[in-house]
Amino acid sequence: MHTDAGITGFGSAFTDGRLVQAGLKVLEPLFAGENALEAERVTEKLHQNTFWMGRGGTLTHAISGIDIALWDILGKATGMPVGRLLGGTYRRRVQPYCSLLMEEPDRMGDVVAEYREKGFRAFKIGWGPFGRALDTKLDEAIVRAAREAAGHDNKLLVDAGASDAYWPHGLKWAIRTAEMLKDYNVGWFEEALKPDALDDFCHLRRVSPVPIAGGEVLTRRQAFIPWLTRGAFDIVQPDVTKVGGISEQRRIAWMAAEFGVKYIGHGWNTALGVAADLQMASAFPDADLVEFIGGSPYVDGILVKPFELDDEGYLSIPERPGLGVEIDRDKIRKFVPDPSPLFL
């Protein structure tokens, strides 16, 4: 997002780029000429004037990227990091969990060990053959291999990925699997059920010996209300690049806190999404983890100064203005057909 003051803000949207291009054409008459320092008002204007076009879909995803960029602009204009603008700094560093796709057991152990060597001390394994091979022994073998490679003192999280097309399991599988995960000291069980199975999520949370996490498929704060009021989650995971940006994400996070639900942002996206999550983590007392895709060029390969782990496996939260990161013009050329519009 470019301003007439010469400040450019960057954002990220989780959807097909062609949809974002189309969405921007619809939204441009609403944001062109607006005050770029009023992210929440401008973003709400976009929501209010487009909900009947497909609330929660392409336009909401595009609005997410716009809103993140507006917060980046506000930070650059004021000389402050976004986290401070959100209300204060609870932490200056946060632990990333290395997010990895599941593999067959032998390969799973090797992959986790590889990223442990790189300094990560928390891991999430998800999708792959888990649950999809219809083999509970294989499911357990994958988790066992990951736990052994991660080490018993490090965090291990499991994501079934039941938002996948034609997920084959229901509540009873999720309950049995949660019992198995308990034996491996798994920190949470994510997306254990189909995305619309609200009643089953509520039951699973009541009986599961491990915390239940979810919410990455939901968009806008209104969609989260029944899941929070009915007690479906121990940990809620909105994605800042989907829900409507930082403005919407922080409302969801504070709302979750009122119901005793922990907020940890979902972050399977880009380095800009990580940067937004880091700023959010600085501004919320219980956001002690951020998602970090292991080996993604969209995370590791587009910044002038890539993220680096410290000796304890933590990431420093950037204190530079805005999101605190800078896109590398040359690196981004590998992924964008024409990067010139990004750098006016």
Side-chain angles (χ1 to χ4, degrees), residues 322-339:
L323 295 177
V325 297
E326 183 179 358
I327 297 291
D328 188 298
R329 293 175 183 239
D330 293 327
K331 292 178 181 177
I332 201 80
R333 291 181 191 278
K334 299 177 183 178
F335 311 108
V336 180
D338 179 15

Side-chain angles (χ1 to χ4, degrees), residues 73-340:
I73 290 168
L74 179 60
K76 290 172 178 175
T78 59
M80 290 191 286
V82 167
R84 187 169 302 139
L85 294 171
L86 292 174
T89 303
Y90 287 91
R91 58 181 59 80
R92 299 189 182 277
R93 64 173 192 158
V94 65
Q95 186 174 36
Y97 63 84
C98 185
S99 197
L100 302 165
L101 294 175
M102 290 201 201
E103 310 276 358
E104 295 293 324
D106 289 345
R107 176 63 181 150
M108 186 81 266
D110 291 343
V111 171
V112 173
E114 175 188 348
Y115 284 95
R116 184 180 177 183
E117 283 294 314
K118 292 180 179 180
F120 286 97
R121 296 294 178 262
F123 306 88
K124 185 174 82 177
I125 56 172
W127 297 62
F130 189 85
R132 294 158 184 81
L134 306 179
D135 184 344
T136 57
K137 291 183 179 179
L138 175 62
D139 293 344
E140 183 167 5
I142 293 169
V143 175
R144 183 188 306 116
R147 170 49 77 194
E148 290 173 355
H152 293 280
D153 294 333
N154 293 323
K155 294 181 176 70
L156 179 64
L157 317 166
V158 170
D159 179 2
S163 60
D164 200 2
Y166 303 110
W167 177 250
H169 300 293
L171 177 60
K172 289 183 173 59
W173 176 89
I175 293 172
R176 290 194 301 269
T177 303
E179 289 289 341
M180 178 270 288
L181 297 178
K182 174 192 64 174
D183 296 336
Y184 296 93
N185 192 27
V186 167
W188 74 58
F189 189 15
E190 180 176 334
E191 278 210 302
L193 295 159
K194 292 182 179 181
D196 297 315
L198 175 55
D199 288 339
D200 285 353
F201 263 104
C202 293
H203 182 81
L204 178 63
R205 185 194 181 192
R206 286 193 295 269
V207 302
S208 171
V210 298
I212 299 301
E216 68 184 69
V217 303
L218 303 175
T219 55
R220 295 212 68 196
R221 61 189 181 273
Q222 293 88 343
F224 286 82
I225 292 173
W227 296 81
L228 296 174
T229 58
R230 298 216 20 217
F233 299 137
D234 294 290
I235 298 150
V236 68
Q237 299 171 302
D239 189 312
V240 71
T241 67
K242 296 179 184 177
V243 298
I246 291 171
S247 296
E248 202 77 358
Q249 185 106 326
R250 75 162 172 172
R251 294 190 187 193
I252 295 164
W254 282 122
M255 182 167 58
E258 299 303 321
F259 289 92
V261 177
K262 187 171 186 175
Y263 154 74
I264 301 289
H266 176 267
W268 188 273
N269 42 66
T270 69
L272 292 168
V274 174
D277 285 336
L278 288 172
Q279 295 297 329
M280 290 282 293
S282 76
F284 288 88
D286 61 350
D288 56 358
L289 290 169
V290 294
E291 186 165 13
F292 193 99
I293 310 173
S296 170
Y298 306 113
V299 173
D300 297 325
I302 66 172
L303 297 182
V304 171
K305 183 180 179 182
F307 301 110
E308 293 183 4
L309 298 174
D310 66 18
D311 292 340
E312 296 180 279
Y314 280 68
L315 288 175
S316 295
I317 297 171
E319 296 187 11
R320 295 173 58 197
L323 295 177
V325 297
E326 183 179 358
I327 297 291
D328 188 298
R329 293 175 183 239
D330 293 327
K331 292 178 181 177
I332 201 80
R333 291 181 191 278
K334 299 177 183 178
F335 311 108
V336 180
D338 179 15
S340 57

